[in-house]
Short mmCIF file of all heavy atoms in Angstrom, two decimals:
data_model
loop_
_atom_site.label_atom_id
_atom_site.label_comp_id
_atom_site.label_asym_id
_atom_site.label_seq_id
_atom_site.Cartn_x
_atom_site.Cartn_y
_atom_site.Cartn_z
N PRO A 21 -13.73 -3.92 -8.50
CA PRO A 21 -13.63 -2.46 -8.30
C PRO A 21 -12.91 -2.01 -7.03
O PRO A 21 -12.58 -0.85 -6.90
CB PRO A 21 -15.09 -2.00 -8.26
CG PRO A 21 -15.85 -3.07 -8.94
CD PRO A 21 -15.11 -4.34 -8.66
N ILE A 22 -12.67 -2.93 -6.09
CA ILE A 22 -11.99 -2.52 -4.87
C ILE A 22 -10.55 -3.04 -4.79
O ILE A 22 -9.89 -2.89 -3.77
CB ILE A 22 -12.78 -2.92 -3.61
CG1 ILE A 22 -12.94 -4.42 -3.50
CG2 ILE A 22 -14.14 -2.22 -3.59
CD1 ILE A 22 -13.55 -4.88 -2.18
N CYS A 23 -10.04 -3.62 -5.88
CA CYS A 23 -8.66 -4.12 -5.86
C CYS A 23 -7.68 -2.95 -5.99
O CYS A 23 -8.05 -1.84 -6.36
CB CYS A 23 -8.43 -5.12 -6.99
SG CYS A 23 -8.24 -4.40 -8.63
N HIS A 24 -6.44 -3.22 -5.66
CA HIS A 24 -5.37 -2.25 -5.87
C HIS A 24 -4.75 -2.58 -7.22
O HIS A 24 -3.96 -3.50 -7.34
CB HIS A 24 -4.34 -2.31 -4.74
CG HIS A 24 -4.88 -1.78 -3.47
ND1 HIS A 24 -4.82 -0.44 -3.17
CD2 HIS A 24 -5.52 -2.37 -2.46
CE1 HIS A 24 -5.39 -0.24 -2.00
NE2 HIS A 24 -5.83 -1.40 -1.55
N SER A 25 -5.11 -1.82 -8.23
CA SER A 25 -4.72 -2.15 -9.60
C SER A 25 -3.44 -1.45 -10.04
O SER A 25 -2.92 -1.76 -11.10
CB SER A 25 -5.85 -1.81 -10.56
OG SER A 25 -6.07 -0.41 -10.55
N VAL A 26 -2.95 -0.52 -9.24
CA VAL A 26 -1.71 0.20 -9.57
C VAL A 26 -0.87 0.28 -8.30
O VAL A 26 -1.39 0.56 -7.22
CB VAL A 26 -2.00 1.62 -10.09
CG1 VAL A 26 -0.72 2.40 -10.32
CG2 VAL A 26 -2.82 1.56 -11.37
N PHE A 27 0.41 0.05 -8.45
CA PHE A 27 1.34 0.15 -7.34
C PHE A 27 1.88 1.57 -7.33
O PHE A 27 2.84 1.90 -8.00
CB PHE A 27 2.46 -0.88 -7.55
CG PHE A 27 3.22 -1.23 -6.32
CD1 PHE A 27 2.60 -1.37 -5.09
CD2 PHE A 27 4.58 -1.46 -6.39
CE1 PHE A 27 3.31 -1.72 -3.96
CE2 PHE A 27 5.30 -1.81 -5.27
CZ PHE A 27 4.67 -1.95 -4.06
N LEU A 28 1.21 2.45 -6.60
CA LEU A 28 1.48 3.88 -6.67
C LEU A 28 2.92 4.24 -6.31
O LEU A 28 3.49 5.17 -6.88
CB LEU A 28 0.51 4.63 -5.76
CG LEU A 28 0.46 6.14 -5.91
CD1 LEU A 28 0.12 6.53 -7.34
CD2 LEU A 28 -0.54 6.74 -4.95
N SER A 29 3.52 3.49 -5.43
CA SER A 29 4.88 3.84 -5.01
C SER A 29 5.91 3.64 -6.12
O SER A 29 7.01 4.19 -6.04
CB SER A 29 5.28 3.04 -3.79
OG SER A 29 5.20 1.67 -4.08
N SER A 30 5.58 2.91 -7.16
CA SER A 30 6.52 2.76 -8.27
C SER A 30 5.96 3.32 -9.57
O SER A 30 6.53 3.13 -10.64
CB SER A 30 6.89 1.28 -8.46
OG SER A 30 5.76 0.53 -8.80
N ALA A 31 4.86 4.04 -9.49
CA ALA A 31 4.26 4.65 -10.68
C ALA A 31 4.93 5.99 -10.98
O ALA A 31 5.38 6.69 -10.08
CB ALA A 31 2.76 4.86 -10.46
N ILE A 32 5.00 6.32 -12.22
CA ILE A 32 5.45 7.64 -12.65
C ILE A 32 4.21 8.37 -13.13
O ILE A 32 3.54 7.93 -14.07
CB ILE A 32 6.50 7.55 -13.76
CG1 ILE A 32 7.74 6.82 -13.24
CG2 ILE A 32 6.86 8.93 -14.27
CD1 ILE A 32 8.77 6.52 -14.30
N ILE A 33 3.89 9.46 -12.46
CA ILE A 33 2.65 10.18 -12.76
C ILE A 33 2.97 11.63 -13.07
O ILE A 33 3.66 12.30 -12.29
CB ILE A 33 1.66 10.09 -11.58
CG1 ILE A 33 1.36 8.62 -11.28
CG2 ILE A 33 0.39 10.86 -11.88
CD1 ILE A 33 0.52 8.41 -10.06
N ASP A 34 2.47 12.10 -14.17
CA ASP A 34 2.67 13.47 -14.60
C ASP A 34 1.91 14.43 -13.67
O ASP A 34 0.72 14.20 -13.37
CB ASP A 34 2.19 13.63 -16.04
CG ASP A 34 2.43 15.01 -16.58
OD1 ASP A 34 3.59 15.34 -16.84
OD2 ASP A 34 1.44 15.75 -16.72
N ARG A 35 2.56 15.47 -13.20
CA ARG A 35 1.95 16.44 -12.29
C ARG A 35 0.68 17.04 -12.89
O ARG A 35 -0.34 17.20 -12.21
CB ARG A 35 2.95 17.54 -11.96
CG ARG A 35 2.42 18.57 -11.00
CD ARG A 35 3.51 19.64 -10.71
NE ARG A 35 3.11 20.53 -9.68
CZ ARG A 35 2.45 21.67 -9.87
NH1 ARG A 35 2.12 22.02 -11.11
NH2 ARG A 35 2.10 22.44 -8.87
N ALA A 36 0.71 17.36 -14.18
CA ALA A 36 -0.46 17.95 -14.83
C ALA A 36 -1.65 16.98 -14.80
O ALA A 36 -2.79 17.40 -14.61
CB ALA A 36 -0.13 18.34 -16.27
N PHE A 37 -1.37 15.69 -14.98
CA PHE A 37 -2.42 14.68 -14.91
C PHE A 37 -3.05 14.64 -13.52
O PHE A 37 -4.27 14.61 -13.37
CB PHE A 37 -1.83 13.31 -15.28
CG PHE A 37 -2.79 12.16 -15.17
CD1 PHE A 37 -3.95 12.11 -15.92
CD2 PHE A 37 -2.51 11.09 -14.33
CE1 PHE A 37 -4.83 11.04 -15.82
CE2 PHE A 37 -3.37 10.02 -14.23
CZ PHE A 37 -4.54 10.00 -14.97
N VAL A 38 -2.22 14.67 -12.49
CA VAL A 38 -2.72 14.68 -11.11
C VAL A 38 -3.59 15.90 -10.88
O VAL A 38 -4.69 15.82 -10.33
CB VAL A 38 -1.55 14.63 -10.09
CG1 VAL A 38 -2.07 14.79 -8.67
CG2 VAL A 38 -0.77 13.32 -10.23
N LEU A 39 -3.12 17.06 -11.32
CA LEU A 39 -3.88 18.30 -11.14
C LEU A 39 -5.18 18.27 -11.93
O LEU A 39 -6.22 18.74 -11.44
CB LEU A 39 -3.04 19.50 -11.53
CG LEU A 39 -1.82 19.77 -10.63
CD1 LEU A 39 -0.98 20.92 -11.18
CD2 LEU A 39 -2.26 20.04 -9.20
N ASP A 40 -5.15 17.73 -13.15
CA ASP A 40 -6.37 17.63 -13.97
C ASP A 40 -7.44 16.79 -13.28
O ASP A 40 -8.63 17.05 -13.42
CB ASP A 40 -6.06 17.03 -15.35
CG ASP A 40 -5.35 17.99 -16.27
OD1 ASP A 40 -5.28 19.20 -15.95
OD2 ASP A 40 -4.83 17.53 -17.31
N LEU A 41 -7.01 15.77 -12.53
CA LEU A 41 -7.95 14.92 -11.81
C LEU A 41 -8.38 15.51 -10.47
O LEU A 41 -9.19 14.92 -9.77
CB LEU A 41 -7.35 13.54 -11.57
CG LEU A 41 -7.35 12.59 -12.75
CD1 LEU A 41 -6.63 11.30 -12.40
CD2 LEU A 41 -8.77 12.27 -13.19
N GLY A 42 -7.82 16.64 -10.12
CA GLY A 42 -8.17 17.26 -8.84
C GLY A 42 -7.28 16.83 -7.70
O GLY A 42 -7.57 17.11 -6.54
N GLY A 43 -6.20 16.11 -8.00
CA GLY A 43 -5.26 15.70 -6.97
C GLY A 43 -5.79 14.59 -6.09
O GLY A 43 -6.80 13.96 -6.38
N PHE A 44 -5.10 14.38 -5.00
CA PHE A 44 -5.48 13.38 -4.01
C PHE A 44 -6.56 13.95 -3.10
O PHE A 44 -6.64 15.16 -2.89
CB PHE A 44 -4.27 13.00 -3.15
CG PHE A 44 -3.28 12.10 -3.85
CD1 PHE A 44 -2.45 12.59 -4.84
CD2 PHE A 44 -3.18 10.77 -3.49
CE1 PHE A 44 -1.54 11.76 -5.47
CE2 PHE A 44 -2.27 9.94 -4.11
CZ PHE A 44 -1.45 10.44 -5.11
N SER A 45 -7.37 13.08 -2.54
CA SER A 45 -8.30 13.49 -1.49
C SER A 45 -7.46 13.94 -0.31
O SER A 45 -6.64 13.18 0.19
CB SER A 45 -9.21 12.33 -1.09
OG SER A 45 -10.09 12.02 -2.13
N THR A 46 -7.65 15.17 0.12
CA THR A 46 -6.76 15.76 1.12
C THR A 46 -7.32 15.77 2.54
O THR A 46 -6.69 16.28 3.45
CB THR A 46 -6.40 17.20 0.73
OG1 THR A 46 -7.61 17.94 0.54
CG2 THR A 46 -5.56 17.24 -0.54
N ALA A 47 -8.50 15.23 2.74
CA ALA A 47 -9.12 15.28 4.06
C ALA A 47 -8.71 14.13 4.97
O ALA A 47 -9.07 14.11 6.13
CB ALA A 47 -10.64 15.32 3.93
N TRP A 48 -7.94 13.17 4.44
CA TRP A 48 -7.59 11.98 5.22
C TRP A 48 -6.09 11.89 5.40
O TRP A 48 -5.32 12.35 4.55
CB TRP A 48 -8.04 10.71 4.52
CG TRP A 48 -9.48 10.63 4.18
CD1 TRP A 48 -10.53 11.07 4.94
CD2 TRP A 48 -10.05 10.09 3.00
NE1 TRP A 48 -11.71 10.81 4.30
CE2 TRP A 48 -11.45 10.21 3.11
CE3 TRP A 48 -9.52 9.48 1.86
CZ2 TRP A 48 -12.31 9.76 2.13
CZ3 TRP A 48 -10.38 9.04 0.89
CH2 TRP A 48 -11.76 9.18 1.03
N ARG A 49 -5.65 11.23 6.47
CA ARG A 49 -4.22 10.94 6.67
C ARG A 49 -3.79 9.73 5.85
O ARG A 49 -2.61 9.53 5.59
CB ARG A 49 -3.94 10.63 8.15
CG ARG A 49 -3.81 11.84 9.01
CD ARG A 49 -3.38 11.46 10.41
NE ARG A 49 -2.00 11.00 10.42
CZ ARG A 49 -1.49 10.27 11.39
NH1 ARG A 49 -2.22 9.90 12.41
NH2 ARG A 49 -0.22 9.90 11.35
N PHE A 50 -4.71 8.89 5.47
CA PHE A 50 -4.41 7.70 4.68
C PHE A 50 -5.62 7.36 3.84
O PHE A 50 -6.70 7.89 4.04
CB PHE A 50 -4.02 6.51 5.59
CG PHE A 50 -5.04 6.22 6.66
CD1 PHE A 50 -6.13 5.41 6.40
CD2 PHE A 50 -4.93 6.80 7.90
CE1 PHE A 50 -7.08 5.15 7.37
CE2 PHE A 50 -5.87 6.55 8.88
CZ PHE A 50 -6.95 5.72 8.62
N GLY A 51 -5.44 6.48 2.85
CA GLY A 51 -6.54 6.06 1.99
C GLY A 51 -6.64 6.86 0.70
O GLY A 51 -7.27 6.43 -0.25
N ALA A 52 -6.01 8.03 0.66
CA ALA A 52 -6.11 8.87 -0.53
C ALA A 52 -5.41 8.25 -1.73
O ALA A 52 -5.81 8.48 -2.87
CB ALA A 52 -5.54 10.26 -0.24
N ASP A 53 -4.39 7.45 -1.50
CA ASP A 53 -3.70 6.80 -2.61
C ASP A 53 -4.62 5.80 -3.30
O ASP A 53 -4.73 5.78 -4.52
CB ASP A 53 -2.40 6.16 -2.16
CG ASP A 53 -2.57 5.15 -1.02
OD1 ASP A 53 -3.61 5.18 -0.33
OD2 ASP A 53 -1.65 4.34 -0.82
N SER A 54 -5.32 4.99 -2.52
CA SER A 54 -6.26 4.01 -3.10
C SER A 54 -7.38 4.71 -3.85
O SER A 54 -7.79 4.28 -4.93
CB SER A 54 -6.86 3.14 -1.99
OG SER A 54 -5.85 2.40 -1.35
N GLU A 55 -7.88 5.79 -3.28
CA GLU A 55 -8.97 6.53 -3.92
C GLU A 55 -8.47 7.18 -5.22
O GLU A 55 -9.13 7.12 -6.25
CB GLU A 55 -9.49 7.59 -2.93
CG GLU A 55 -10.77 8.26 -3.35
CD GLU A 55 -10.54 9.53 -4.15
OE1 GLU A 55 -9.44 10.10 -4.08
OE2 GLU A 55 -11.46 9.94 -4.86
N PHE A 56 -7.27 7.75 -5.20
CA PHE A 56 -6.71 8.39 -6.39
C PHE A 56 -6.47 7.39 -7.51
O PHE A 56 -6.78 7.66 -8.67
CB PHE A 56 -5.40 9.12 -6.06
CG PHE A 56 -4.75 9.70 -7.27
CD1 PHE A 56 -5.20 10.91 -7.78
CD2 PHE A 56 -3.72 9.05 -7.91
CE1 PHE A 56 -4.63 11.45 -8.92
CE2 PHE A 56 -3.14 9.58 -9.05
CZ PHE A 56 -3.60 10.78 -9.55
N ILE A 57 -5.93 6.23 -7.17
CA ILE A 57 -5.63 5.21 -8.19
C ILE A 57 -6.87 4.87 -9.00
O ILE A 57 -6.83 4.80 -10.22
CB ILE A 57 -5.04 3.94 -7.53
CG1 ILE A 57 -3.62 4.20 -7.07
CG2 ILE A 57 -5.11 2.75 -8.47
CD1 ILE A 57 -3.06 3.13 -6.15
#
Side-chain angles (χ1 to χ4, degrees):
I22 62 172
C23 77
H24 289 273
S25 64
V26 175
F27 200 39
L28 192 57
S29 59
S30 63
I32 297 173
I33 301 174
D34 183 72
R35 181 179 188 271
F37 176 60
V38 174
L39 294 175
D40 286 348
L41 281 176
F44 285 73
S45 291
T46 55
W48 304 321
R49 280 186 70 200
F50 54 86
D53 56 342
S54 298
E55 191 269 340
F56 176 80
I57 287 167

